[in-house]
Amino acid sequence: SDVGWEALNTLKELGHCTLSFKGLDTVERPGIIELVGEPIKAEQLLVGGTIEIE
C-alpha cells in the first residue's frame, strides 16, 4: 500500500480521492491511495454509507 504525494491534499481541499485495490507497493499516479484487499463493488455503495479503511 502507498499514498500518492497529492492524494491527501486533494482529499483535504476537494473532499475526494481515488482508491486503488491493485495491491501495488507504489502508486501509479500522485492522487491515488493504493490499498490491499478486495475491491468495493458498485452494489455495496449506498447513499449515506460508510467506507472504513483500517
Side-chain angles (χ1 to χ4, degrees):
S1 63
D2 191 21
V3 177
W5 61 269
E6 183 62 25
L8 297 179
N9 184 52
T10 303
L11 187 57
K12 179 182 173 187
E13 298 297 322
L14 303 176
H16 74 84
C17 65
T18 301
L19 304 177
S20 171
F21 288 88
K22 292 182 179 180
L24 303 175
D25 290 332
T26 58
V27 294
E28 294 179 310
R29 291 184 306 278
I32 291 178
I33 298 174
E34 186 66 45
L35 302 171
V36 176
E38 293 295 318
I40 298 168
K41 296 178 178 141
E43 60 268 13
Q44 294 173 298
L45 298 175
L46 304 171
V47 173
T50 301
I51 297 174
E52 261 184 58
I53 301 170
E54 298 177 3

Coordinates of all heavy atoms in Angstrom, one line a residue:
S1 N 0.8 -1.2 0.0 CA 0.0 0.0 0.0 C 0.9 1.2 0.0 O 2.0 1.2 0.4 CB -0.9 0.0 1.2 OG -0.2 0.0 2.4
D2 N 0.3 2.3 -0.5 CA 1.1 3.6 -0.6 C 0.1 4.7 -0.8 O -1.0 4.5 -1.2 CB 2.0 3.5 -1.8 CG 3.0 4.6 -1.9 OD1 3.3 5.2 -0.8 OD2 3.6 4.9 -3.0
V3 N 0.5 5.9 -0.5 CA -0.3 7.1 -0.6 C 0.5 8.1 -1.5 O 1.6 8.5 -1.2 CB -0.6 7.8 0.7 CG1 -1.4 9.1 0.5 CG2 -1.3 6.9 1.6
G4 N -0.1 8.5 -2.6 CA 0.5 9.5 -3.6 C 0.7 10.8 -2.9 O -0.1 11.2 -2.0
W5 N 1.7 11.6 -3.4 CA 2.0 12.8 -2.8 C 0.9 13.9 -2.8 O 0.8 14.8 -2.0 CB 3.3 13.4 -3.3 CG 3.2 13.7 -4.8 CD1 3.6 12.8 -5.8 CD2 2.8 14.9 -5.4 NE1 3.4 13.4 -7.0 CE2 2.9 14.7 -6.8 CE3 2.3 16.1 -5.0 CZ2 2.6 15.7 -7.8 CZ3 2.0 17.1 -5.9 CH2 2.1 16.9 -7.3
E6 N 0.0 13.7 -3.8 CA -1.1 14.7 -4.0 C -2.4 14.2 -3.4 O -3.4 15.0 -3.2 CB -1.3 15.0 -5.5 CG -2.3 16.0 -5.8 CD -2.0 17.4 -5.3 OE1 -0.9 17.7 -5.0 OE2 -3.0 18.2 -5.1
A7 N -2.5 12.9 -3.0 CA -3.8 12.4 -2.5 C -4.4 13.0 -1.3 O -5.6 13.4 -1.2 CB -3.6 10.9 -2.3
L8 N -3.6 13.2 -0.3 CA -4.1 13.8 0.9 C -4.5 15.3 0.7 O -5.5 15.8 1.3 CB -3.1 13.7 2.1 CG -2.8 12.2 2.5 CD1 -1.8 12.2 3.6 CD2 -4.0 11.5 2.9
N9 N -3.8 16.0 -0.1 CA -4.1 17.4 -0.4 C -5.5 17.5 -1.1 O -6.3 18.3 -0.8 CB -3.0 18.1 -1.2 CG -3.3 19.5 -1.5 OD1 -3.6 20.3 -0.5 ND2 -3.3 19.9 -2.7
T10 N -5.6 16.6 -2.1 CA -6.9 16.5 -2.9 C -8.0 16.2 -1.9 O -9.1 16.8 -2.0 CB -6.8 15.5 -4.0 OG1 -5.7 15.8 -4.8 CG2 -8.0 15.4 -4.8
L11 N -7.8 15.2 -1.1 CA -8.9 14.8 -0.1 C -9.2 16.0 0.8 O -10.4 16.3 1.0 CB -8.4 13.6 0.7 CG -9.4 13.0 1.6 CD1 -10.7 12.5 0.9 CD2 -8.8 11.8 2.4
K12 N -8.2 16.7 1.3 CA -8.5 17.8 2.2 C -9.1 19.0 1.5 O -10.1 19.6 1.9 CB -7.2 18.3 2.8 CG -7.3 19.5 3.7 CD -5.9 19.9 4.3 CE -6.0 21.2 5.0 NZ -4.7 21.7 5.4
E13 N -8.6 19.4 0.3 CA -9.1 20.6 -0.4 C -10.4 20.3 -1.2 O -11.2 21.2 -1.3 CB -8.0 21.1 -1.4 CG -6.7 21.5 -0.6 CD -6.9 22.7 0.3 OE1 -7.7 23.6 -0.1 OE2 -6.3 22.7 1.4
L14 N -10.5 19.2 -1.8 CA -11.6 18.9 -2.7 C -12.6 17.9 -2.2 O -13.7 17.7 -2.7 CB -11.1 18.5 -4.1 CG -10.2 19.4 -4.8 CD1 -9.7 18.8 -6.1 CD2 -10.8 20.8 -5.1
G15 N -12.2 17.2 -1.1 CA -13.1 16.2 -0.5 C -13.3 14.9 -1.3 O -14.3 14.2 -1.1
H16 N -12.3 14.6 -2.1 CA -12.4 13.3 -2.8 C -11.0 12.7 -3.0 O -10.0 13.4 -2.8 CB -13.1 13.4 -4.1 CG -12.3 14.1 -5.2 ND1 -11.4 13.4 -6.0 CD2 -12.3 15.4 -5.6 CE1 -10.8 14.3 -6.8 NE2 -11.3 15.5 -6.6
C17 N -10.9 11.4 -3.2 CA -9.7 10.8 -3.5 C -10.0 9.5 -4.4 O -11.1 9.1 -4.5 CB -8.9 10.4 -2.3 SG -9.8 9.1 -1.3
T18 N -8.9 9.0 -4.9 CA -9.0 7.8 -5.7 C -8.4 6.6 -4.9 O -7.2 6.7 -4.5 CB -8.3 7.9 -7.1 OG1 -8.8 9.0 -7.8 CG2 -8.4 6.6 -7.9
L19 N -9.2 5.6 -4.7 CA -8.7 4.4 -4.0 C -8.4 3.3 -5.0 O -9.3 3.0 -5.9 CB -9.8 3.9 -3.0 CG -10.2 4.9 -2.0 CD1 -11.3 4.3 -1.1 CD2 -9.1 5.4 -1.1
S20 N -7.3 2.7 -5.0 CA -6.9 1.6 -5.9 C -6.7 0.3 -5.1 O -6.0 0.4 -4.1 CB -5.7 2.0 -6.7 OG -5.2 0.9 -7.4
F21 N -7.2 -0.8 -5.6 CA -7.0 -2.1 -4.9 C -6.2 -3.0 -5.7 O -6.3 -4.2 -5.7 CB -8.4 -2.7 -4.7 CG -9.2 -2.1 -3.6 CD1 -10.1 -1.0 -3.9 CD2 -9.1 -2.5 -2.3 CE1 -10.8 -0.4 -2.9 CE2 -9.9 -1.9 -1.3 CZ -10.7 -0.9 -1.6
K22 N -5.2 -2.4 -6.5 CA -4.3 -3.2 -7.3 C -3.3 -4.0 -6.5 O -2.6 -4.9 -6.9 CB -3.6 -2.4 -8.4 CG -4.6 -1.9 -9.4 CD -3.9 -1.1 -10.5 CE -4.8 -0.6 -11.6 NZ -4.1 0.2 -12.6
G23 N -3.1 -3.5 -5.2 CA -2.1 -4.2 -4.4 C -0.7 -3.8 -4.7 O 0.3 -4.6 -4.3
L24 N -0.4 -2.7 -5.4 CA 0.9 -2.3 -5.7 C 1.7 -1.8 -4.5 O 1.1 -1.3 -3.6 CB 0.9 -1.3 -6.8 CG 0.1 -1.6 -8.1 CD1 0.1 -0.4 -9.1 CD2 0.8 -2.8 -8.8
D25 N 3.0 -1.9 -4.6 CA 3.8 -1.3 -3.5 C 3.9 0.2 -3.6 O 4.2 0.9 -2.6 CB 5.2 -1.9 -3.5 CG 5.2 -3.4 -3.1 OD1 4.3 -3.8 -2.3 OD2 6.1 -4.1 -3.6
T26 N 3.8 0.7 -4.8 CA 3.8 2.2 -5.0 C 2.6 2.6 -5.9 O 2.1 1.8 -6.7 CB 5.1 2.6 -5.7 OG1 5.2 2.0 -6.9 CG2 6.3 2.3 -4.8
V27 N 2.2 3.8 -5.7 CA 1.1 4.3 -6.5 C 1.5 4.6 -8.0 O 2.6 4.9 -8.3 CB 0.5 5.6 -5.9 CG1 -0.1 5.3 -4.5 CG2 1.5 6.7 -5.8
E28 N 0.5 4.5 -8.9 CA 0.8 4.8 -10.3 C 0.7 6.2 -10.6 O 1.3 6.7 -11.6 CB -0.3 4.0 -11.1 CG -0.1 2.5 -11.1 CD -1.1 1.8 -11.9 OE1 -2.3 2.1 -11.8 OE2 -0.7 0.9 -12.6
R29 N -0.1 7.0 -9.8 CA -0.3 8.4 -10.0 C -0.3 9.1 -8.7 O -0.7 8.6 -7.7 CB -1.6 8.7 -10.8 CG -1.5 8.2 -12.3 CD -2.7 8.6 -13.1 NE -4.0 8.1 -12.5 CZ -4.5 6.9 -12.6 NH1 -3.8 6.0 -13.2 NH2 -5.6 6.6 -12.0
P30 N 0.0 10.4 -8.6 CA 0.2 11.1 -7.3 C -1.1 11.3 -6.5 O -1.1 11.5 -5.3 CB 0.8 12.5 -7.7 CG 0.6 12.6 -9.2 CD 0.4 11.2 -9.7
G31 N -2.3 11.2 -7.2 CA -3.5 11.4 -6.5 C -4.2 10.1 -5.9 O -5.3 10.2 -5.5
I32 N -3.5 9.0 -6.0 CA -4.1 7.7 -5.6 C -3.6 7.3 -4.2 O -2.5 7.5 -3.8 CB -3.6 6.6 -6.7 CG1 -4.3 6.9 -8.0 CG2 -3.9 5.2 -6.2 CD1 -3.9 6.0 -9.1
I33 N -4.5 6.6 -3.6 CA -4.2 5.9 -2.3 C -4.3 4.4 -2.7 O -5.4 3.9 -3.1 CB -5.2 6.2 -1.2 CG1 -5.1 7.7 -0.9 CG2 -4.9 5.4 0.0 CD1 -6.1 8.2 0.1
E34 N -3.2 3.7 -2.6 CA -3.2 2.3 -3.0 C -3.5 1.4 -1.8 O -2.8 1.6 -0.7 CB -1.8 2.0 -3.5 CG -1.6 0.6 -4.1 CD -2.4 0.3 -5.3 OE1 -2.5 1.2 -6.2 OE2 -3.1 -0.7 -5.4
L35 N -4.4 0.5 -1.9 CA -4.9 -0.3 -0.8 C -4.6 -1.8 -1.1 O -4.4 -2.2 -2.2 CB -6.4 -0.1 -0.5 CG -6.8 1.4 -0.2 CD1 -8.3 1.5 -0.2 CD2 -6.2 1.8 1.1
V36 N -4.7 -2.6 -0.1 CA -4.6 -4.0 -0.2 C -6.0 -4.6 0.3 O -6.5 -4.2 1.3 CB -3.5 -4.6 0.7 CG1 -3.5 -6.1 0.6 CG2 -2.2 -4.0 0.2
G37 N -6.6 -5.4 -0.5 CA -7.8 -6.0 -0.1 C -8.8 -6.2 -1.3 O -8.4 -5.9 -2.5
E38 N -9.9 -6.7 -1.1 CA -10.9 -6.9 -2.1 C -11.5 -5.5 -2.6 O -11.8 -4.7 -1.7 CB -12.1 -7.8 -1.6 CG -11.6 -9.2 -1.3 CD -11.2 -9.9 -2.5 OE1 -11.9 -9.8 -3.6 OE2 -10.2 -10.6 -2.5
P39 N -11.7 -5.4 -3.9 CA -12.3 -4.1 -4.4 C -13.8 -4.0 -3.9 O -14.4 -4.9 -3.6 CB -12.3 -4.3 -5.9 CG -11.4 -5.4 -6.2 CD -11.3 -6.3 -4.9
I40 N -14.2 -2.7 -3.8 CA -15.6 -2.4 -3.4 C -16.4 -2.6 -4.7 O -16.1 -2.0 -5.7 CB -15.7 -1.0 -2.8 CG1 -14.9 -0.9 -1.5 CG2 -17.1 -0.7 -2.5 CD1 -14.7 0.5 -1.0
K41 N -17.5 -3.3 -4.6 CA -18.4 -3.5 -5.7 C -19.5 -2.4 -5.7 O -19.9 -1.9 -4.7 CB -19.0 -4.9 -5.7 CG -18.0 -5.9 -5.8 CD -18.6 -7.3 -5.7 CE -17.5 -8.3 -5.9 NZ -17.6 -9.5 -5.1
A42 N -20.0 -2.0 -6.9 CA -21.0 -1.0 -7.0 C -22.2 -1.2 -6.2 O -22.7 -0.3 -5.5 CB -21.4 -0.8 -8.5
E43 N -22.6 -2.5 -6.1 CA -23.8 -2.8 -5.3 C -23.6 -2.6 -3.8 O -24.5 -2.6 -3.0 CB -24.4 -4.1 -5.6 CG -23.4 -5.3 -5.4 CD -22.6 -5.7 -6.6 OE1 -22.5 -4.9 -7.5 OE2 -21.9 -6.7 -6.5
Q44 N -22.3 -2.5 -3.4 CA -22.0 -2.3 -1.9 C -22.1 -0.8 -1.5 O -22.1 -0.5 -0.4 CB -20.6 -2.9 -1.6 CG -20.6 -4.4 -1.7 CD -19.1 -4.8 -1.6 OE1 -18.3 -4.5 -2.4 NE2 -18.9 -5.6 -0.6
L45 N -22.1 0.1 -2.5 CA -22.1 1.5 -2.2 C -23.5 2.0 -2.1 O -24.4 1.8 -2.9 CB -21.4 2.3 -3.4 CG -19.9 1.9 -3.6 CD1 -19.4 2.7 -4.9 CD2 -19.1 2.3 -2.4
L46 N -23.8 2.6 -0.9 CA -25.1 3.1 -0.6 C -25.0 4.6 -0.3 O -24.0 5.0 0.4 CB -25.7 2.4 0.5 CG -25.8 0.8 0.4 CD1 -26.2 0.2 1.7 CD2 -26.8 0.5 -0.7
V47 N -26.0 5.4 -0.7 CA -26.0 6.8 -0.3 C -26.1 6.9 1.3 O -26.8 6.2 1.9 CB -27.3 7.5 -0.9 CG1 -27.4 8.9 -0.3 CG2 -27.2 7.5 -2.4
G48 N -25.2 7.6 1.8 CA -25.1 7.8 3.3 C -24.3 6.6 3.9 O -24.1 6.6 5.1
G49 N -23.7 5.7 3.1 CA -22.9 4.6 3.6 C -21.6 5.1 4.1 O -21.2 6.2 3.9
T50 N -20.8 4.1 4.7 CA -19.5 4.4 5.2 C -18.5 3.4 4.6 O -18.8 2.3 4.6 CB -19.5 4.3 6.8 OG1 -20.5 5.2 7.3 CG2 -18.1 4.6 7.3
I51 N -17.4 4.0 4.3 CA -16.2 3.1 3.8 C -15.2 3.2 4.9 O -14.7 4.3 5.2 CB -15.7 3.5 2.5 CG1 -16.7 3.4 1.4 CG2 -14.4 2.7 2.2 CD1 -16.3 3.9 0.1
E52 N -14.8 2.1 5.6 CA -13.8 2.1 6.6 C -12.5 1.6 6.1 O -12.5 0.5 5.4 CB -14.2 1.3 7.8 CG -14.8 2.1 8.9 CD -15.2 1.2 10.1 OE1 -14.3 0.5 10.6 OE2 -16.3 1.2 10.5
I53 N -11.4 2.3 6.3 CA -10.1 1.8 5.9 C -9.3 1.7 7.2 O -9.1 2.7 7.9 CB -9.4 2.8 4.9 CG1 -10.3 2.9 3.7 CG2 -8.0 2.3 4.6 CD1 -9.8 4.0 2.8
E54 N -8.8 0.5 7.5 CA -8.0 0.3 8.7 C -6.6 0.3 8.5 O -6.1 0.0 7.4 CB -8.4 -1.1 9.3 CG -9.9 -1.1 9.7 CD -10.4 -2.4 10.2 OE1 -9.5 -3.3 10.4 OE2 -11.5 -2.6 10.5

